[in-house]
Amino acid sequence: MPEVFDNLFDMSKRGKVFKDLMSLIASRRNILLAYRNIKSNSGSVCSGIDGLDIEYIKRFPAEKLVKYIQNRFMLYKPQTVRRCIIPKPGSGKRPLGIPTIFDRFAQQCILQVLEPICEAKFQEYSYGFRINRSAEHAIAQCYNAIQNEKLMYAVDVDLKSFFDNVSHSKLIRQLWRLGIRDKKLLSIIKAILKAPVLLPNGEVIHPSKGTPQGGILSPLLANVVLNDLDLMFAQHISTHDTVECHEETNDSSACRKFHEMVSKGICYIRYADDFKVLCRSRSEAESIYKAVTTWLVKVLKLEVNIQKSKITNLKDNYSEFLGFKIKAVKKSDAYVIESSVSDKALCNITSKLIEQIHNIHRSKDSEQANQINIFNSMVRGIHGYFDIATDIQSNCMSIQVQIDNLMNKYFTGLRCNGEISNASIAKAYGESSMLRFFKGIPICPIGYISYRAPIRHDSDACPYTPQGRKSFHKCLRFSENTLKVLHDLAEARIPNASTEYYDNRLAIYAMQHGKCYVTKQFLSTDEVYFHHIIPINKGGTDRFNNLVLVSREVYDLLHAESEDEISESLPKLIQNKSQLKRFNKLRTAMGYPVE
C-alpha cells in the first residue's frame, strides 16, 4: 500500500480532489493491512455490543474476511456503540464509545486512506494523533519558544468536552474542503458519527453532535476540525510564511477580526484539543485570548471553559501543558526553562504506583512476579514520558521515598543485589543503588532518572514520501529479492487459511529476512514453507510465536516418520551442529524423536 498512500499524499499536496476513494478503502490489500494495524492495538481485545473481539477475526479465513468487509461497505450501517465510563487522569470520568470489532475494522480501512490525504493539509505545529509525532515534540517546541525566542506569556484556552461538541455538518464540510468528495464515503462517515449509543443504564441515544472517544476515526476527525484553527494561526507564526486559508476560514467577519487582533511572531503549539499560544507581552496575550475564544465559539461552534482558560506570565508562574508545568527562570543574564511534572500528574503517578505495590503485596506467590513486572512497566513508562522535565529527578525522588517506606513495610527479604535477566532493565537500572530485589525479581527504582533534553520534530520526516520514511525506517533494509517474495506472499490466495496465519506469514518472513530457520539459506517464493512449531492437531495455533519459516526440504524432513527417509536426507540437508540443534528443537516440539 505505500505507493498508493504516497500517491494520495502527493495529489492532496497539489490540491487535487478525491471522488472515488471507496474502491481503495474496500480493496483487498487495504483490508488486510487494516487487520494488521488493528491486531497491534491494545483496544482490539475490547468487545462491542456483540461480544466479539480481535480473537474472533483472527480465526476468520482471510479471503472470507475480505469479502465480508467489502460486502458491508456496499450498504454500510454501523451497529450500536457500547458506552462505558472510564476514570480520567487525576479526577473525573470520561465516556468511551466502543464500536463492534467489525465497525472498528471498517473505520481502520477508512482511516488508512484518509490519513495521507489529510496529512498533506495538516500544519507543522500540530502534534497529537499524528504519525511520527509525539508530546515530546510539542514540549520541545514549547521550550524553544520560551528560551530561544523569548516568548514569556502563555495563553491557554480549554475546550469544554471537545469530542462531545463537534458539529457533524461542519465536520463534513471541512472534509469536503480538504478534497474528500466521495459522497458514498462521506455518507458512511456521517453514519459512523450518528451511530446509536447504548448507555450503561440500558438507554439508547442517537447523537446529533460529537465524535465518539474510542472510535478509530475520532482522532483524525478531531484534527480535521481543529485544522481550521491551525490555519488561522499559521499566518502569525514567527517562523512560518503566509499560508493561504480557505474562504470560510479567512473571509468571515470573525476571521478578519481574529487576524486583526493576533500579532505576528507568536508561537502556537497544539496537541489534539490541548493547545498553547506563546507571545511577548500581556497586551498581546489578552488580545490573542479574546480573538481565539471568540473565533472558536462563532466559527467552530465549540464551547470554551472560561474557568480553566488563562494567561500566564512565565517569569512569575508555571504554565501547565501535557502533564508538565513549565516556567522561565533567570540565570545570569538569561532566562532558562524550569519544568517538572504537574501537581495533578504527580499525584496521579504516586497513587497508581502505591496501589500497584499494594497489588504485589496482596497477590498470591505465583502471581507476584507478574505484578512486579506491571510495576516495572509503569515506572519505565513514567520515565520514558517525563524524563524531559528538568526537575524530573527531584519529582521522582519524592515518590521513591514513599515507595521505599511501603516496600520495607510489606516485603520481607528485600535485597540490594541480584541477577537481572531482563537486558533492558539491566541497562537502565543495573548501576542504581536504589534497585531492590524481591524473591530474586528486580523492582525498578522510580527515583533513578535524570533529565534528557527533548528532541524537536524532524520536519523532513514524512510517512508518505520515500525520502521522508528513511529517517524512521532505517532498520528496515530488505533486498529486492526479499521484497519480491513479501509481495508474492501478500498476493497469494490460501483457501480457508485464517487471517491470523495469512498475516503472520509476512511478519515471520520479514523477521527472518527470508532465511530458513534451520539452514539460514535465503528462500525464494516457491521454496517458502511456514511450519507450526506445535502442530495444529496437537493444540498448536496460528499465532506468531508458533510459526517459523523453513525451506520445503526442511519442512518435509521435519514431518518425516520413516527412519530410512530421515537417515538418507538428513546428511544432505544438515551441514553442521548448529543446524542439527535447530532441527532437533523443532522435532522435539512436534513430539518426534531427535536425530
Side-chain angles (χ1 to χ4, degrees), residues 48-97:
I49 61 164
D50 57 5
L52 303 179
D53 60 16
I54 192 63
E55 293 299 322
Y56 180 78
I57 285 188
K58 285 179 179 179
R59 297 190 293 269
F60 244 75
E63 300 310 315
K64 183 179 177 182
L65 176 67
V66 169
K67 199 68 181 172
Y68 179 77
I69 298 297
Q70 288 174 337
N71 288 339
R72 284 202 76 200
F73 275 132
M74 291 176 69
L75 192 62
Y76 186 77
K77 184 179 180 182
Q79 293 179 272
T80 300
V81 174
R82 180 169 68 88
R83 168 76 58 84
C84 66
I85 307 298
I86 61 171
K88 290 175 68 174
S91 62
K93 301 286 185 180
R94 172 178 289 132
L96 196 67

Side-chain angles (χ1 to χ4, degrees), residues 125 227-236 245 248-250 254-256 258-259 262 295:
Y125 24 81
N227 187 55
D228 280 5
L229 179 63
D230 301 343
L231 286 168
M232 292 298 294
F233 274 111
Q235 300 180 46
H236 304 272
C245 296
E248 186 172 336
T249 303
N250 211 30
C255 296
R256 288 195 297 273
F258 180 99
H259 292 307
V262 177
W295 186 87

